[in-house]
mmCIF file of all heavy atoms in Angstrom:
data_model
loop_
_atom_site.group_PDB
_atom_site.id
_atom_site.type_symbol
_atom_site.label_atom_id
_atom_site.label_comp_id
_atom_site.label_asym_id
_atom_site.label_seq_id
_atom_site.Cartn_x
_atom_site.Cartn_y
_atom_site.Cartn_z
ATOM 1 N N ARG A 61 6.925 0.671 13.283
ATOM 2 C CA ARG A 61 6.823 -0.362 14.316
ATOM 3 C C ARG A 61 5.696 0.109 15.268
ATOM 4 O O ARG A 61 5.742 1.235 15.721
ATOM 5 C CB ARG A 61 8.149 -0.573 15.071
ATOM 6 C CG ARG A 61 9.274 -0.993 14.241
ATOM 7 C CD ARG A 61 10.588 -1.016 15.004
ATOM 8 N NE ARG A 61 10.787 -2.223 15.749
ATOM 9 C CZ ARG A 61 11.258 -3.353 15.254
ATOM 10 N NH1 ARG A 61 11.527 -3.441 13.947
ATOM 11 N NH2 ARG A 61 11.383 -4.425 16.003
ATOM 12 N N GLN A 62 4.802 -0.818 15.588
ATOM 13 C CA GLN A 62 3.722 -0.381 16.466
ATOM 14 C C GLN A 62 3.493 -1.593 17.420
ATOM 15 O O GLN A 62 3.329 -2.708 17.022
ATOM 16 C CB GLN A 62 2.427 -0.134 15.652
ATOM 17 C CG GLN A 62 1.274 0.425 16.401
ATOM 18 C CD GLN A 62 1.576 1.827 16.930
ATOM 19 O OE1 GLN A 62 2.432 2.516 16.534
ATOM 20 N NE2 GLN A 62 0.858 2.240 17.946
ATOM 21 N N GLY A 63 3.401 -1.284 18.708
ATOM 22 C CA GLY A 63 3.181 -2.366 19.705
ATOM 23 C C GLY A 63 1.746 -2.744 19.702
ATOM 24 O O GLY A 63 0.828 -1.955 19.545
ATOM 25 N N LEU A 64 1.499 -4.019 19.966
ATOM 26 C CA LEU A 64 0.192 -4.562 20.146
ATOM 27 C C LEU A 64 0.338 -5.628 21.273
ATOM 28 O O LEU A 64 0.587 -6.782 21.022
ATOM 29 C CB LEU A 64 -0.292 -5.194 18.879
ATOM 30 C CG LEU A 64 -1.711 -5.864 18.923
ATOM 31 C CD1 LEU A 64 -2.779 -4.759 19.176
ATOM 32 C CD2 LEU A 64 -2.037 -6.599 17.595
ATOM 33 N N GLY A 65 0.191 -5.092 22.500
ATOM 34 C CA GLY A 65 0.407 -5.998 23.634
ATOM 35 C C GLY A 65 1.852 -6.498 23.597
ATOM 36 O O GLY A 65 2.801 -5.721 23.369
ATOM 37 N N PRO A 66 2.102 -7.782 23.650
ATOM 38 C CA PRO A 66 3.430 -8.349 23.650
ATOM 39 C C PRO A 66 4.005 -8.435 22.196
ATOM 40 O O PRO A 66 5.175 -8.793 22.026
ATOM 41 C CB PRO A 66 3.239 -9.693 24.279
ATOM 42 C CG PRO A 66 1.857 -10.140 23.969
ATOM 43 C CD PRO A 66 1.051 -8.806 23.938
ATOM 44 N N LEU A 67 3.241 -8.075 21.198
ATOM 45 C CA LEU A 67 3.620 -8.170 19.833
ATOM 46 C C LEU A 67 4.072 -6.859 19.279
ATOM 47 O O LEU A 67 3.730 -5.822 19.818
ATOM 48 C CB LEU A 67 2.442 -8.626 18.954
ATOM 49 C CG LEU A 67 1.721 -9.921 19.321
ATOM 50 C CD1 LEU A 67 0.507 -10.135 18.450
ATOM 51 C CD2 LEU A 67 2.649 -11.085 19.225
ATOM 52 N N THR A 68 4.878 -6.894 18.243
ATOM 53 C CA THR A 68 5.295 -5.658 17.497
ATOM 54 C C THR A 68 4.965 -5.886 16.060
ATOM 55 O O THR A 68 5.420 -6.787 15.448
ATOM 56 C CB THR A 68 6.794 -5.423 17.698
ATOM 57 O OG1 THR A 68 7.127 -5.273 19.101
ATOM 58 C CG2 THR A 68 7.208 -4.153 16.955
ATOM 59 N N LEU A 69 4.128 -5.020 15.557
ATOM 60 C CA LEU A 69 3.818 -4.970 14.132
ATOM 61 C C LEU A 69 4.874 -4.178 13.412
ATOM 62 O O LEU A 69 5.236 -3.129 13.885
ATOM 63 C CB LEU A 69 2.432 -4.307 13.901
ATOM 64 C CG LEU A 69 1.251 -4.880 14.735
ATOM 65 C CD1 LEU A 69 -0.011 -4.076 14.422
ATOM 66 C CD2 LEU A 69 1.052 -6.352 14.410
ATOM 67 N N ILE A 70 5.304 -4.733 12.277
ATOM 68 C CA ILE A 70 6.438 -4.098 11.539
ATOM 69 C C ILE A 70 6.065 -3.977 10.065
ATOM 70 O O ILE A 70 5.552 -5.021 9.468
ATOM 71 C CB ILE A 70 7.751 -4.906 11.644
ATOM 72 C CG1 ILE A 70 8.109 -5.025 13.157
ATOM 73 C CG2 ILE A 70 8.879 -4.263 10.839
ATOM 74 C CD1 ILE A 70 9.304 -5.960 13.368
ATOM 75 N N GLY A 71 6.251 -2.898 9.487
ATOM 76 C CA GLY A 71 5.949 -2.724 8.008
ATOM 77 C C GLY A 71 6.440 -1.389 7.480
ATOM 78 O O GLY A 71 6.985 -0.605 8.275
ATOM 79 N N ARG A 72 6.354 -1.270 6.188
ATOM 80 C CA ARG A 72 6.717 -0.073 5.480
ATOM 81 C C ARG A 72 5.647 0.564 4.740
ATOM 82 O O ARG A 72 4.945 -0.181 3.980
ATOM 83 C CB ARG A 72 7.907 -0.373 4.477
ATOM 84 C CG ARG A 72 8.310 0.810 3.651
ATOM 85 C CD ARG A 72 9.470 0.497 2.802
ATOM 86 N NE ARG A 72 10.646 0.553 3.652
ATOM 87 C CZ ARG A 72 11.876 0.647 3.204
ATOM 88 N NH1 ARG A 72 12.143 0.553 1.958
ATOM 89 N NH2 ARG A 72 12.871 0.678 4.050
ATOM 90 N N LEU A 73 5.406 1.814 4.938
ATOM 91 C CA LEU A 73 4.308 2.547 4.296
ATOM 92 C C LEU A 73 4.818 3.294 3.095
ATOM 93 O O LEU A 73 5.903 3.904 3.190
ATOM 94 C CB LEU A 73 3.659 3.470 5.273
ATOM 95 C CG LEU A 73 3.068 2.826 6.504
ATOM 96 C CD1 LEU A 73 2.499 3.873 7.416
ATOM 97 C CD2 LEU A 73 2.005 1.849 6.136
ATOM 98 N N ASP A 74 4.162 3.283 1.974
ATOM 99 C CA ASP A 74 4.585 4.036 0.817
ATOM 100 C C ASP A 74 4.555 5.536 1.079
ATOM 101 O O ASP A 74 5.485 6.238 0.752
ATOM 102 C CB ASP A 74 3.599 3.821 -0.461
ATOM 103 C CG ASP A 74 3.863 2.412 -1.058
ATOM 104 O OD1 ASP A 74 4.841 1.729 -0.689
ATOM 105 O OD2 ASP A 74 3.050 2.024 -1.942
ATOM 106 N N ARG A 75 3.399 5.954 1.649
ATOM 107 C CA ARG A 75 3.306 7.422 1.848
ATOM 108 C C ARG A 75 2.243 7.718 2.957
ATOM 109 O O ARG A 75 1.231 7.030 3.058
ATOM 110 C CB ARG A 75 2.765 8.050 0.564
ATOM 111 C CG ARG A 75 2.505 9.521 0.561
ATOM 112 C CD ARG A 75 2.104 10.016 -0.795
ATOM 113 N NE ARG A 75 1.746 11.449 -0.692
ATOM 114 C CZ ARG A 75 1.904 12.262 -1.629
ATOM 115 N NH1 ARG A 75 2.457 11.897 -2.793
ATOM 116 N NH2 ARG A 75 1.557 13.543 -1.481
ATOM 117 N N VAL A 76 2.529 8.780 3.719
ATOM 118 C CA VAL A 76 1.559 9.233 4.742
ATOM 119 C C VAL A 76 1.471 10.723 4.501
ATOM 120 O O VAL A 76 2.437 11.457 4.498
ATOM 121 C CB VAL A 76 2.033 8.933 6.159
ATOM 122 C CG1 VAL A 76 0.938 9.433 7.171
ATOM 123 C CG2 VAL A 76 2.254 7.467 6.359
ATOM 124 N N ASP A 77 0.198 11.202 4.369
ATOM 125 C CA ASP A 77 -0.055 12.653 4.155
ATOM 126 C C ASP A 77 -0.868 13.211 5.412
ATOM 127 O O ASP A 77 -1.525 12.406 6.109
ATOM 128 C CB ASP A 77 -0.924 12.910 2.965
ATOM 129 C CG ASP A 77 -0.167 12.901 1.655
ATOM 130 O OD1 ASP A 77 1.057 12.484 1.651
ATOM 131 O OD2 ASP A 77 -0.703 13.121 0.636
ATOM 132 N N ALA A 78 -0.644 14.504 5.692
ATOM 133 C CA ALA A 78 -1.404 15.106 6.773
ATOM 134 C C ALA A 78 -2.577 15.876 6.083
ATOM 135 O O ALA A 78 -2.382 16.510 4.994
ATOM 136 C CB ALA A 78 -0.535 16.134 7.498
ATOM 137 N N LEU A 79 -3.791 15.652 6.593
ATOM 138 C CA LEU A 79 -4.990 16.264 6.003
ATOM 139 C C LEU A 79 -5.280 17.529 6.775
ATOM 140 O O LEU A 79 -4.888 17.694 7.967
ATOM 141 C CB LEU A 79 -6.148 15.298 5.990
ATOM 142 C CG LEU A 79 -5.885 14.031 5.222
ATOM 143 C CD1 LEU A 79 -7.079 13.042 5.369
ATOM 144 C CD2 LEU A 79 -5.587 14.343 3.740
ATOM 145 N N PRO A 80 -6.073 18.441 6.231
ATOM 146 C CA PRO A 80 -6.418 19.723 6.870
ATOM 147 C C PRO A 80 -7.055 19.606 8.263
ATOM 148 O O PRO A 80 -6.887 20.468 9.101
ATOM 149 C CB PRO A 80 -7.277 20.474 5.944
ATOM 150 C CG PRO A 80 -7.346 19.704 4.663
ATOM 151 C CD PRO A 80 -6.717 18.375 4.848
ATOM 152 N N ASP A 81 -7.823 18.527 8.495
ATOM 153 C CA ASP A 81 -8.484 18.308 9.768
ATOM 154 C C ASP A 81 -7.605 17.683 10.773
ATOM 155 O O ASP A 81 -8.005 17.362 11.850
ATOM 156 C CB ASP A 81 -9.756 17.528 9.546
ATOM 157 C CG ASP A 81 -9.468 16.103 9.035
ATOM 158 O OD1 ASP A 81 -8.309 15.717 8.842
ATOM 159 O OD2 ASP A 81 -10.501 15.361 8.762
#
Side-chain angles (χ1 to χ4, degrees):
R61 299 174 84 80
Q62 187 68 19
L64 180 63
L67 305 173
T68 301
L69 306 177
I70 301 171
R72 174 176 282 193
L73 302 177
D74 286 351
R75 177 177 176 148
V76 180
D77 282 6
L79 300 177
D81 62 2

